[in-house]
Amino acid sequence: MEPAPVPVVRQHNAITQARYDYTACQLDIFFYLLSRLRRDDTPDQEYTIYVKDVEALTGRQWNYQQLREATADMGSRMFEVENERTYQQLWMFQRVEYIKGKGCLQIQLAAPIRPFLFNLKENFTSYQLHSALKLSSKYAKRIYQLVSQWKDKTSTRTYPLDEFKQMLHLKDPKGKEPELFQNISQLKARVLDIAVRQVSEHTDLKIDYELVKKGRAYDAVRFTIARQQPQQLPIPFEQPAEDARAHAARQHLEALGINQPQLVATILGDPKHLDQLFKFTYQLKTDKVKATKNPGGLFLKICGLR
C-alpha cells in the first residue's frame, strides 16, 4: 500500500517548482548568488561574484564567454508564479556588469523576484549551498533543490512524471520541443540514478527514489530523504569573498597533505601560488594531472617550493 502523501504546501517553492533548464554553469551562478543574499540588503544592492571564488568552490572552470552566455540566458528566462489570485511573469536580473581585468561580475536583481529568492535561501544553510555547488550534474543540482524543501520530512510529495519532467525541462508542456529520456530506463540512468548518487555522496541528505506505477506504466516519482552527517566543513559565505577563497585554499592544502605553517603561509600569501593551487586541484579532480602517490609533493614542485 502506498504511504499517505506528505503535505504539499511549501511557502518557498515558487522558484524551485518553476520550469527552467539552467546549465551547470548557470546553476553555479544561481547558488552562489543565493549565498550572498542578506535580509538587510537594499533594493538596489549589487552582488559581486569573483570567478575564481566560484571555481575554488566547485572545482570547475568557466571561461569569460561561457559566463556571458550563461547570464544573458538567465536574464532572459521568465519565471511563472501562479496562485489562486494572480499569475506573475518574473525575470531574474535588473542588470549584469562584467568588470574587465578584474575577473568578476556585478549583478543587480530585479526587485519583484527578490522576495522569492530570499524565501528560497531560507531553505538552505551555508553548508547546503556549498553542497549544491559541489554537484556536477545539473539534474542533481535541481533535484537537491527540490528535495531540500522536504528535508524536515522523510519523503517528498509524489510528483506525476509529466510535472517532474517539465520542472527539469525534459518535457515541453506545449509539445513544441521533443521530450528527453522518454524511456524509463533512460530517465533512471541519465537523471535519477546520477542525482541520487551525487546528492547522497556530497550533501547532508541521503536520498533515493521510488517510481510509482499506474496500471502497467510508471506514472509518478517520489524521493525518500534521510539526514546524514556532513562530510565537509561549510564555506563561510558570510565572510568577505577574499576570506572565503582563503578558507577554500586551506582546505585544498589540507587535502594535499600540506600543513607545515611556513609553507601554508607562503602559498596563501602569494596570489600566483593561490592561482596555481586552484588550477592544480581542478586538474587533479578531472584527471588532467596524474599524481596518485604524492600530489602535494608534485604541487610544491610545480610552484618551485620543493
Side-chain angles (χ1 to χ4, degrees), residues 55 71 104 156 186 199 237:
E55 291 177 348
T71 53
C104 68
T156 66
Q186 291 180 324
V199 171
F237 285 120

Side-chain angles (χ1 to χ4, degrees), residues 253-273:
L253 291 173
E254 184 177 345
L256 292 171
I258 300 172
N259 48 30
Q260 301 94 323
Q262 186 174 353
L263 268 178
V264 171
T266 298
I267 295 167
L268 293 179
D270 189 326
K272 291 183 179 178
H273 288 336

Side-chain angles (χ1 to χ4, degrees), residues 45-221:
Q45 181 78 38
E46 291 183 347
Y47 302 93
T48 301
I49 297 179
Y50 287 89
V51 178
K52 288 181 180 178
D53 290 336
V54 179
E55 291 177 348
L57 293 171
T58 63
R60 291 181 293 279
Q61 293 180 315
W62 306 115
N63 62 43
Y64 183 73
Q65 186 61 32
Q66 286 174 309
L67 290 168
R68 284 188 61 177
E69 292 174 357
T71 53
D73 186 59
M74 290 173 74
S76 66
R77 293 291 179 92
M78 180 185 70
F79 289 89
E80 298 176 286
V81 178
E82 187 172 6
N83 57 32
E84 296 80 4
R85 297 182 297 104
T86 65
Y87 164 76
Q88 296 184 65
Q89 296 177 336
L90 305 173
W91 286 264
M92 182 74 71
F93 301 142
Q94 177 70 27
R95 182 178 63 87
V96 178
E97 182 176 356
Y98 285 80
I99 311 301
K100 296 181 179 180
K102 297 290 186 180
C104 68
L105 55 151
Q106 294 180 336
I107 293 175
Q108 187 176 358
L109 294 169
I113 206 168
R114 288 170 61 87
F116 294 100
L117 296 181
F118 279 117
N119 288 340
L120 177 59
K121 183 182 177 177
E122 289 175 357
N123 206 38
F124 295 96
T125 65
S126 290
Y127 173 79
Q128 290 169 325
L129 287 166
H130 179 209
S131 299
L133 286 165
K134 287 291 182 182
L135 303 174
S136 60
S137 163
K138 67 177 183 179
Y139 300 124
K141 289 175 184 284
R142 286 287 279 123
I143 288 172
Y144 180 59
Q145 190 181 13
L146 181 69
V147 298
S148 289
Q149 293 182 91
W150 306 90
K151 63 181 183 289
D152 57 331
K153 306 291 183 179
T154 57
S155 69
T156 66
R157 72 176 177 90
T158 300
Y159 293 92
L161 280 180
D162 278 351
E163 179 186 347
F164 177 72
K165 286 184 174 182
Q166 288 171 22
M167 287 167 54
L168 269 65
H169 206 270
L170 300 175
K171 184 175 182 178
D172 182 356
K174 298 180 179 179
K176 295 182 179 179
E177 302 172 10
E179 181 178 346
L180 300 178
F181 314 132
Q182 295 185 48
N183 186 294
I184 198 68
S185 62
Q186 291 180 324
L187 182 68
K188 290 171 65 175
R190 302 288 295 277
V191 178
L192 296 171
D193 290 344
I194 292 174
V196 164
R197 184 177 69 252
Q198 289 194 8
V199 171
S200 297
E201 286 180 359
H202 298 294
T203 80
D204 59 321
L205 301 179
K206 185 176 179 61
I207 69 169
D208 206 343
Y209 64 89
E210 302 171 9
L211 288 167
V212 181
K213 278 188 173 181
K214 185 176 183 180
R216 295 185 177 183
Y218 289 107
D219 179 69
V221 62

